PDB file of all heavy atoms in Angstrom:
ATOM      1  N   ARG J 185     -11.462   9.779   4.538  1.00  0.00           N
ATOM      2  CA  ARG J 185     -10.544   8.917   5.275  1.00  0.00           C
ATOM      3  C   ARG J 185     -10.871   8.921   6.769  1.00  0.00           C
ATOM      4  O   ARG J 185     -10.774   7.890   7.435  1.00  0.00           O
ATOM      5  CB  ARG J 185      -9.083   9.343   5.026  1.00  0.00           C
ATOM      6  CG  ARG J 185      -8.675   8.986   3.617  1.00  0.00           C
ATOM      7  CD  ARG J 185      -7.236   9.361   3.308  1.00  0.00           C
ATOM      8  NE  ARG J 185      -6.884   8.879   1.963  1.00  0.00           N
ATOM      9  CZ  ARG J 185      -6.153   9.575   1.091  1.00  0.00           C
ATOM     10  NH1 ARG J 185      -5.638  10.742   1.424  1.00  0.00           N
ATOM     11  NH2 ARG J 185      -5.889   9.071  -0.102  1.00  0.00           N
ATOM     12  N   ILE J 186     -11.280  10.071   7.279  1.00  0.00           N
ATOM     13  CA  ILE J 186     -11.697  10.120   8.684  1.00  0.00           C
ATOM     14  C   ILE J 186     -12.936   9.244   8.867  1.00  0.00           C
ATOM     15  O   ILE J 186     -13.028   8.459   9.836  1.00  0.00           O
ATOM     16  CB  ILE J 186     -11.972  11.574   9.132  1.00  0.00           C
ATOM     17  CG1 ILE J 186     -10.649  12.366   9.108  1.00  0.00           C
ATOM     18  CG2 ILE J 186     -12.584  11.622  10.533  1.00  0.00           C
ATOM     19  CD1 ILE J 186     -10.837  13.859   9.295  1.00  0.00           C
ATOM     20  N   ALA J 187     -13.861   9.335   7.911  1.00  0.00           N
ATOM     21  CA  ALA J 187     -15.088   8.504   7.971  1.00  0.00           C
ATOM     22  C   ALA J 187     -14.721   7.031   7.927  1.00  0.00           C
ATOM     23  O   ALA J 187     -15.217   6.223   8.715  1.00  0.00           O
ATOM     24  CB  ALA J 187     -16.039   8.859   6.828  1.00  0.00           C
ATOM     25  N   SER J 188     -13.798   6.653   7.023  1.00  0.00           N
ATOM     26  CA  SER J 188     -13.387   5.242   6.890  1.00  0.00           C
ATOM     27  C   SER J 188     -12.751   4.741   8.184  1.00  0.00           C
ATOM     28  O   SER J 188     -12.967   3.580   8.576  1.00  0.00           O
ATOM     29  CB  SER J 188     -12.373   5.073   5.768  1.00  0.00           C
ATOM     30  OG  SER J 188     -12.977   5.331   4.546  1.00  0.00           O
ATOM     31  N   ALA J 189     -11.974   5.590   8.849  1.00  0.00           N
ATOM     32  CA  ALA J 189     -11.316   5.184  10.109  1.00  0.00           C
ATOM     33  C   ALA J 189     -12.372   4.781  11.141  1.00  0.00           C
ATOM     34  O   ALA J 189     -12.096   3.957  11.997  1.00  0.00           O
ATOM     35  CB  ALA J 189     -10.464   6.314  10.642  1.00  0.00           C
ATOM     36  N   LYS J 190     -13.562   5.375  11.037  1.00  0.00           N
ATOM     37  CA  LYS J 190     -14.620   5.044  11.999  1.00  0.00           C
ATOM     38  C   LYS J 190     -15.487   3.891  11.514  1.00  0.00           C
ATOM     39  O   LYS J 190     -16.100   3.199  12.325  1.00  0.00           O
ATOM     40  CB  LYS J 190     -15.510   6.282  12.235  1.00  0.00           C
ATOM     41  CG  LYS J 190     -14.755   7.402  12.932  1.00  0.00           C
ATOM     42  CD  LYS J 190     -15.605   8.666  13.014  1.00  0.00           C
ATOM     43  CE  LYS J 190     -14.872   9.800  13.664  1.00  0.00           C
ATOM     44  NZ  LYS J 190     -15.577  11.089  13.500  1.00  0.00           N
ATOM     45  N   ILE J 191     -15.561   3.676  10.182  1.00  0.00           N
ATOM     46  CA  ILE J 191     -16.423   2.613   9.633  1.00  0.00           C
ATOM     47  C   ILE J 191     -15.735   1.241   9.708  1.00  0.00           C
ATOM     48  O   ILE J 191     -16.336   0.249  10.097  1.00  0.00           O
ATOM     49  CB  ILE J 191     -16.812   2.947   8.165  1.00  0.00           C
ATOM     50  CG1 ILE J 191     -17.751   4.148   8.140  1.00  0.00           C
ATOM     51  CG2 ILE J 191     -17.446   1.735   7.470  1.00  0.00           C
ATOM     52  CD1 ILE J 191     -17.971   4.754   6.752  1.00  0.00           C
ATOM     53  N   LEU J 192     -14.458   1.209   9.327  1.00  0.00           N
ATOM     54  CA  LEU J 192     -13.741  -0.073   9.353  1.00  0.00           C
ATOM     55  C   LEU J 192     -13.464  -0.484  10.806  1.00  0.00           C
ATOM     56  O   LEU J 192     -13.141   0.355  11.628  1.00  0.00           O
ATOM     57  CB  LEU J 192     -12.400   0.045   8.614  1.00  0.00           C
ATOM     58  CG  LEU J 192     -12.333  -0.248   7.112  1.00  0.00           C
ATOM     59  CD1 LEU J 192     -12.381  -1.758   6.841  1.00  0.00           C
ATOM     60  CD2 LEU J 192     -13.377   0.477   6.301  1.00  0.00           C
ATOM     61  N   PRO J 193     -13.595  -1.770  11.117  1.00  0.00           N
ATOM     62  CA  PRO J 193     -13.186  -2.201  12.480  1.00  0.00           C
ATOM     63  C   PRO J 193     -11.678  -2.017  12.642  1.00  0.00           C
ATOM     64  O   PRO J 193     -10.925  -2.152  11.666  1.00  0.00           O
ATOM     65  CB  PRO J 193     -13.596  -3.674  12.520  1.00  0.00           C
ATOM     66  CG  PRO J 193     -13.667  -4.106  11.100  1.00  0.00           C
ATOM     67  CD  PRO J 193     -14.006  -2.895  10.271  1.00  0.00           C
ATOM     68  N   LEU J 194     -11.228  -1.713  13.848  1.00  0.00           N
ATOM     69  CA  LEU J 194      -9.800  -1.430  14.048  1.00  0.00           C
ATOM     70  C   LEU J 194      -8.925  -2.615  13.640  1.00  0.00           C
ATOM     71  O   LEU J 194      -7.787  -2.404  13.231  1.00  0.00           O
ATOM     72  CB  LEU J 194      -9.544  -1.029  15.523  1.00  0.00           C
ATOM     73  CG  LEU J 194      -8.072  -0.737  15.880  1.00  0.00           C
ATOM     74  CD1 LEU J 194      -7.492   0.399  15.026  1.00  0.00           C
ATOM     75  CD2 LEU J 194      -7.950  -0.385  17.362  1.00  0.00           C
ATOM     76  N   ASP J 195      -9.439  -3.812  13.696  1.00  0.00           N
ATOM     77  CA  ASP J 195      -8.587  -4.960  13.300  1.00  0.00           C
ATOM     78  C   ASP J 195      -8.475  -5.109  11.798  1.00  0.00           C
ATOM     79  O   ASP J 195      -7.904  -6.089  11.304  1.00  0.00           O
ATOM     80  CB  ASP J 195      -9.027  -6.259  13.967  1.00  0.00           C
ATOM     81  CG  ASP J 195     -10.423  -6.672  13.613  1.00  0.00           C
ATOM     82  OD1 ASP J 195     -11.095  -5.952  12.872  1.00  0.00           O
ATOM     83  OD2 ASP J 195     -10.862  -7.744  14.087  1.00  0.00           O
ATOM     84  N   HIS J 196      -9.002  -4.125  11.031  1.00  0.00           N
ATOM     85  CA  HIS J 196      -8.810  -4.150   9.590  1.00  0.00           C
ATOM     86  C   HIS J 196      -8.183  -2.839   9.076  1.00  0.00           C
ATOM     87  O   HIS J 196      -8.323  -2.516   7.889  1.00  0.00           O
ATOM     88  CB  HIS J 196     -10.129  -4.464   8.859  1.00  0.00           C
ATOM     89  CG  HIS J 196     -10.405  -5.944   8.872  1.00  0.00           C
ATOM     90  ND1 HIS J 196     -10.703  -6.636  10.037  1.00  0.00           N
ATOM     91  CD2 HIS J 196     -10.365  -6.874   7.902  1.00  0.00           C
ATOM     92  CE1 HIS J 196     -10.855  -7.911   9.773  1.00  0.00           C
ATOM     93  NE2 HIS J 196     -10.646  -8.091   8.481  1.00  0.00           N
ATOM     94  N   ILE J 197      -7.567  -2.087   9.969  1.00  0.00           N
ATOM     95  CA  ILE J 197      -6.936  -0.822   9.575  1.00  0.00           C
ATOM     96  C   ILE J 197      -5.416  -0.934   9.767  1.00  0.00           C
ATOM     97  O   ILE J 197      -4.942  -1.366  10.822  1.00  0.00           O
ATOM     98  CB  ILE J 197      -7.466   0.356  10.396  1.00  0.00           C
ATOM     99  CG1 ILE J 197      -8.970   0.544  10.159  1.00  0.00           C
ATOM    100  CG2 ILE J 197      -6.708   1.641  10.042  1.00  0.00           C
ATOM    101  CD1 ILE J 197      -9.605   1.644  11.013  1.00  0.00           C
ATOM    102  N   LEU J 198      -4.664  -0.554   8.701  1.00  0.00           N
ATOM    103  CA  LEU J 198      -3.200  -0.523   8.767  1.00  0.00           C
ATOM    104  C   LEU J 198      -2.760   0.944   8.576  1.00  0.00           C
ATOM    105  O   LEU J 198      -3.516   1.745   8.025  1.00  0.00           O
ATOM    106  CB  LEU J 198      -2.575  -1.380   7.662  1.00  0.00           C
ATOM    107  CG  LEU J 198      -2.607  -2.909   7.831  1.00  0.00           C
ATOM    108  CD1 LEU J 198      -3.999  -3.480   7.817  1.00  0.00           C
ATOM    109  CD2 LEU J 198      -1.769  -3.571   6.727  1.00  0.00           C
ATOM    110  N   LEU J 199      -1.536   1.244   8.975  1.00  0.00           N
ATOM    111  CA  LEU J 199      -0.988   2.592   8.798  1.00  0.00           C
ATOM    112  C   LEU J 199       0.122   2.554   7.734  1.00  0.00           C
ATOM    113  O   LEU J 199       0.887   1.589   7.677  1.00  0.00           O
ATOM    114  CB  LEU J 199      -0.402   3.121  10.099  1.00  0.00           C
ATOM    115  CG  LEU J 199      -1.401   3.338  11.236  1.00  0.00           C
ATOM    116  CD1 LEU J 199      -0.652   3.757  12.497  1.00  0.00           C
ATOM    117  CD2 LEU J 199      -2.458   4.361  10.869  1.00  0.00           C
ATOM    118  N   GLU J 200       0.192   3.583   6.929  1.00  0.00           N
ATOM    119  CA  GLU J 200       1.230   3.687   5.907  1.00  0.00           C
ATOM    120  C   GLU J 200       1.702   5.116   5.818  1.00  0.00           C
ATOM    121  O   GLU J 200       0.988   6.031   6.227  1.00  0.00           O
ATOM    122  CB  GLU J 200       0.704   3.259   4.546  1.00  0.00           C
ATOM    123  CG  GLU J 200      -0.318   4.202   3.934  1.00  0.00           C
ATOM    124  CD  GLU J 200      -0.562   3.938   2.449  1.00  0.00           C
ATOM    125  OE1 GLU J 200       0.331   4.255   1.664  1.00  0.00           O
ATOM    126  OE2 GLU J 200      -1.656   3.432   2.123  1.00  0.00           O
ATOM    127  N   THR J 201       2.917   5.307   5.246  1.00  0.00           N
ATOM    128  CA  THR J 201       3.330   6.679   4.916  1.00  0.00           C
ATOM    129  C   THR J 201       3.119   6.969   3.423  1.00  0.00           C
ATOM    130  O   THR J 201       2.866   8.122   3.084  1.00  0.00           O
ATOM    131  CB  THR J 201       4.827   6.913   5.237  1.00  0.00           C
ATOM    132  OG1 THR J 201       5.606   5.965   4.492  1.00  0.00           O
ATOM    133  CG2 THR J 201       5.080   6.780   6.731  1.00  0.00           C
ATOM    134  N   ASP J 202       3.285   5.970   2.539  1.00  0.00           N
ATOM    135  CA  ASP J 202       3.372   6.213   1.116  1.00  0.00           C
ATOM    136  C   ASP J 202       4.534   7.156   0.789  1.00  0.00           C
ATOM    137  O   ASP J 202       4.517   7.809  -0.242  1.00  0.00           O
ATOM    138  CB  ASP J 202       2.046   6.758   0.523  1.00  0.00           C
ATOM    139  CG  ASP J 202       1.852   6.378  -0.942  1.00  0.00           C
ATOM    140  OD1 ASP J 202       2.549   5.463  -1.426  1.00  0.00           O
ATOM    141  OD2 ASP J 202       1.011   7.016  -1.599  1.00  0.00           O
ATOM    142  N   GLY J 203       5.538   7.161   1.677  1.00  0.00           N
ATOM    143  CA  GLY J 203       6.699   8.011   1.412  1.00  0.00           C
ATOM    144  C   GLY J 203       7.354   7.662   0.089  1.00  0.00           C
ATOM    145  O   GLY J 203       7.319   6.504  -0.301  1.00  0.00           O
TER     146      GLY J 203
END
Side-chain angles (χ1 to χ4, degrees):
R185 288 180 176 141
I186 294 170
S188 293
K190 294 174 181 168
I191 290 168
L192 269 285
L194 179 59
D195 62 357
H196 280 68
I197 298 176
L198 285 66
L199 296 175
E200 69 166 288
T201 58
D202 207 17

